[in-house]
Every structure is written in C-alpha cells, then in structure tokens.
Amino acid sequence: MKLGVMSDSHDNVPNIIRAVEVFNDIGVDLVVHAGDFIAPFTLDPLVDLNCRVVGVFGNNDGERVVLAKKFEQIGEVHPNLASTSLGDTTIAVMHYPELAIPIAKSGEFDIVVYGHTHKIDIQKEQSLLLNPGETGGWTTGTATIAVVDLDTREAKIHEV
C-alpha cells in the first residue's frame, strides 16, 4: 500500500493537478494534506484522485466552512490534528512541527506528517516523521509531494 503526502499547496492549482496525476499514476491508496489549501477552489482537482483525502487546516486557510463542505466530496478535514489508518499503519497529520515532533517521538503513530515550514524533512525514529515540502512551490521555487511505501516505510519525494 502507498500513502500520498502533500502540504502547503497555497492556491497553486496547476501543481495540485500535477500532484493528482502523480498520485494516480503511482496508485496511492490514500492522500493526506497537511494544510494551507487557502481557497476552496483549490480542492476541485482533488476530486480526480482515485482515493480519498484526509486533511487538516493550516494557518493560511480561509473560508474554512466552505473548505469543509467541499471536503465532503473527497474525504475529511480536521481543525488541527487528523488521525487515520491505512491497513495496519497508523497516521497522524497536522500542520505545525511543534505538534508533530513530540507526537513522532511518542511512537503512538507509525507515520506523522506535518507542513508549515515548506521544507522537506524525513526522519525515522519511533515514527516516520515527514514533511513533504511545499506543493505550491511559491516559497522555495520547488514544488514537491511525497509517496510512502507502507511495507518499507520509505518516503520518496517527487517534484511536480
């Protein structure tokens, strides 16, 4: 099984479309988004995913009521922390590293995903701690997503 991971898409619809294409080509079983979608229209491309999406709000997400309503078509969105599973793998998703790092060190989840910093971070300790970088690409100039192979717990970064 494979987990698709994205964060900080910041209204960059062309990059979101490319992320959906990569996730569908690889055949991910679930996509998690660690926040900062920004506007509700940025969720439209996620309808084309061949799997559901679990997300959390970030610090720049406006119109949260409308975002939450649009999320009903594709999966679920949570205010601060999402807890989900894929097969036997437990996954926690949040926007902020201040929350993610202690949760990862606790070992309560197999995979802990965060965003906010726009910087790729992959650490293996008690849990796999993962920031996929930024799907929007506005801050670093590089738009990235990640795919985690649940059998090996290896994360691979993909540019979109």
Side-chain angles (χ1 to χ4, degrees):
M1 298 183 103
K2 291 185 174 64
L3 173 69
V5 183
M6 61 193 303
S7 185
D8 297 279
S9 45
H10 287 273
D11 281 350
N12 194 326
V13 172
N15 287 358
I16 297 167
I17 291 169
R18 284 193 287 278
V20 167
E21 290 169 351
V22 171
F23 289 145
N24 284 344
D25 286 348
I26 291 172
V28 301
D29 301 286
L30 172 70
V31 169
V32 296
H33 193 302
D36 280 358
F37 314 96
I38 312 301
F41 66 82
T42 63
L43 297 181
D44 292 344
L46 299 179
V47 171
D48 293 328
L49 279 166
N50 296 329
C51 63
R52 69 185 183 98
V53 181
V54 174
V56 295
F57 290 125
N59 59 302
N60 288 300
D61 289 318
E63 302 182 57
R64 290 183 179 204
V65 171
V66 180
L67 279 165
K69 186 71 175 161
K70 288 195 85 147
F71 241 97
E72 292 174 4
Q73 301 172 51
I74 58 172
E76 58 191 70
V77 66
H78 301 267
N80 297 308
L81 172 67
S83 171
T84 190
S85 61
L86 184 57
D88 295 335
T89 303
T90 57
I91 305 158
V93 185
M94 64 230 53
H95 188 65
Y96 297 104
E98 297 84 4
L99 199 57
I101 293 167
I103 291 173
K105 287 181 179 177
S106 77
E108 290 294 316
F109 293 89
D110 299 311
I111 300 171
V112 178
V113 173
Y114 75 98
H116 188 62
T117 66
H118 296 233
K119 296 177 184 174
I120 296 167
D121 182 20
I122 303 171
Q123 297 180 39
K124 283 188 174 180
E125 292 184 25
Q126 293 287 351
S127 307
L128 171 63
L129 177 66
L130 173 62
N131 182 329
E134 60 170 338
T135 305
W138 302 119
T139 303
T140 64
T142 303
T144 54
I145 58 174
V147 174
V148 180
D149 182 321
L150 298 189
D151 291 332
T152 62
R153 298 267 164 79
E154 294 293 323
K156 181 177 180 186
I157 300 297
H158 298 265
E159 284 191 34
V160 294

